Amino acid sequence: MEINQLLKKGVDLIKDREYSNPVLEATLLLAELLNVDKIYIYTHGRDKVIEPIVDKFLELMKKRASGYPFQYLINKKEFMGLDFYIEEGVLIPRSDTEILVEYVLEYIDNKYKDKPVNILDLGIGSGAIALSIAYYKRNAIVYGVDIYDTPLKVSRINKERFKLSNINLFKGDLFQGICGLNRKFHIITSNPPYIPKKDITTLQKEVKDHEPKEALDGGEDGLKFYKRIIHESKNYLMKNGLLIFEIGYDQGKQVANMMMNENFKNVQILQDLQGLDRVVLGINGKGVGIDNDFN
Ligand SMILES: C[S@@+](CC[C@H](N)C(=O)[O-])C[C@H]1O[C@@H](n2cnc3c(N)ncnc32)[C@H](O)[C@@H]1O
């Protein structure tokens, strides 16, 4: 079958669903299977595709038609200009999370330019936050923790993919993953699970049926992880160190208040392009060591 005919068949399978761009999805999937880029697909419509690839393509497009996330089908998601490997069992990185990463990259430039800076990311998933920081700031020494095996495996794959040596990965329940290291951090980042338990069933089908519940479920009020991290961070964050979270659009005030109640100063809420609260950050007023200690 020719590329054009096959693409049309693929698009027909998903075009009646709510997906925003069936032609692009079909093109990218076929490009992935043929190991070419999408321009090749556009410019070689009359090329013949061998049968095993035709079968595989149609099988995967049917899977997509059943609501399976596109990014898991192609095992890829672009984040901060990097192609992350992903698979079921890790959250698909969201472009909203780039706001947090961009803030941290600028903060490092302003405060620690070319000086070593210790960063801890709690709940690494695919490594979107931790590996992007390690990639763009080679003076950063990044520590990433997750409690589950798949995120750790996927982050290791991405670490190899981006050829990074300034990132260390640990398994554990939040700070328990690194408590044996006896290390203090200049910056702690986290995009923890933050959906209130009762809201999980109301999420988009693609998300609730296929993305890991453990990456979404933030307990009864969605704030369970923020409470723990803010409280426990005192033992690991240097005085004047930065704690920065991604949050749900309606959690800004609550998380900011929690931070102020635990002696964080300069607490700020950042919004995304839609004007929704997306990030909360603050500077540790108490903490251990001083922020120019490089342990
Ligand atoms: C919302 S996802 C964020 C993933 C990634 N940082 C990102 O921004 O795409 C939350 C992550 O926290 C991890 N997690 C859940 N409970 C945890 C715990 N108690 N300790 C460490 N990590 C945990 C999940 O496995 C998941 O990878």
Side-chain angles (χ1 to χ4, degrees):
M1 192 181 300
E2 291 176 4
I3 283 184
N4 277 342
Q5 295 167 323
L6 184 56
L7 270 186
K8 181 164 181 334
K9 274 193 158 210
V11 171
D12 283 347
L13 283 169
I14 60 168
K15 70 171 192 272
D16 294 331
R17 301 208 37 124
E18 69 278 20
Y19 308 141
S20 55
N21 204 332
V23 176
L24 183 64
E25 287 195 5
T27 306
L28 289 175
L29 178 61
L30 187 55
E32 197 61 33
L33 294 178
L34 292 173
N35 206 15
V36 296
D37 61 21
K38 67 174 190 283
I39 308 297
Y40 184 97
I41 302 289
Y42 295 146
T43 53
H44 292 73
R46 305 297 306 270
D47 279 15
K48 288 253 183 298
V49 182
I50 56 169
E51 203 140 315
I53 303 256
V54 170
D55 293 345
K56 185 78 194 164
F57 174 77
L58 293 175
E59 178 197 321
L60 292 178
M61 287 308 283
K62 280 181 198 146
K63 199 164 174 187
R64 177 67 181 131
S66 76
Y68 192 75
F70 182 67
Q71 291 82 1
Y72 288 148
L73 273 189
I74 61 168
N75 294 115
K76 247 192 218 174
K77 175 74 171 82
E78 188 269 343
F79 181 84
M80 290 298 298
L82 298 169
D83 256 337
F84 279 81
Y85 168 80
I86 57 158
E87 63 179 45
E88 254 186 280
V90 294
L91 187 90
I92 300 168
R94 307 297 205 264
S95 55
D96 288 332
T97 306
E98 294 183 342
I99 298 171
L100 181 156
V101 176
E102 278 162 6
Y103 184 93
V104 172
L105 296 182
E106 204 177 316
Y107 186 86
I108 294 173
D109 275 349
N110 290 336
K111 202 165 171 193
Y112 303 104
K113 190 143 191 77
D114 302 327
K115 291 190 201 134
V117 49
N118 290 335
I119 301 176
L120 173 64
D121 182 43
L122 295 170
I124 46 171
S126 62
I129 297 174
L131 294 172
S132 299
I133 296 172
Y135 183 89
Y136 288 110
K137 296 294 162 212
R138 300 301 163 119
N139 54 321
I141 306 127
V142 184
Y143 297 79
V145 174
D146 210 287
I147 197 168
Y148 298 106
D149 288 328
T150 309
L152 286 162
K153 180 192 90 177
V154 168
S155 285
R156 277 191 200 104
I157 292 172
N158 284 318
K159 173 183 172 177
E160 295 297 312
R161 183 179 265 221
F162 307 141
K163 301 190 174 32
L164 295 174
S165 56
N166 55 339
I167 170 130
N168 308 284
L169 300 169
F170 298 92
K171 183 170 177 174
D173 180 7
L174 300 181
F175 293 100
Q176 182 242 318
I178 47 85
C179 63
L181 295 180
N182 200 20
R183 193 162 285 276
K184 310 296 178 222
F185 300 91
H186 301 92
I187 301 174
I188 298 179
T189 61
S190 186
N191 173 17
Y194 59 66
I195 312 288
K197 201 182 269 306
K198 63 176 177 358
D199 293 350
I200 292 191
T201 51
T202 67
L203 296 174
Q204 254 186 319
K205 190 172 165 4
E206 270 189 62
V207 178
K208 70 173 182 228
D209 287 357
H210 299 285
E211 296 207 60
K213 297 269 180 308
E214 308 76 38
L216 303 171
D217 186 348
E220 295 309 320
D221 59 1
L223 301 170
K224 171 174 101 174
F225 287 96
Y226 300 112
K227 287 179 197 146
R228 278 187 62 194
I229 294 173
I230 292 169
H231 188 66
E232 293 175 33
S233 66
K234 297 295 167 61
N235 301 322
Y236 301 93
L237 190 58
M238 289 182 190
K239 183 165 164 53
N240 292 333
L242 171 73
L243 175 61
I244 180 165
F245 289 117
E246 176 167 317
I247 50 146
Y249 72 96
D250 54 355
Q251 295 171 326
K253 285 209 177 68
Q254 286 160 297
V255 175
N257 281 335
M258 280 183 216
M259 289 181 78
M260 288 188 277
N261 290 339
E262 295 259 14
N263 285 305
F264 278 83
K265 45 186 195 180
N266 302 346
V267 173
Q268 287 180 57
I269 300 175
L270 309 182
Q271 295 182 328
D272 60 22
L273 291 174
Q274 297 179 65
L276 299 174
D277 292 351
R278 183 53 64 194
V279 168
V280 177
L281 60 101
I283 300 296
N284 188 16
K286 278 194 170 162
V288 279
I290 49 170
D291 78 341
N292 55 358
D293 274 351
F294 295 110
N295 288 327

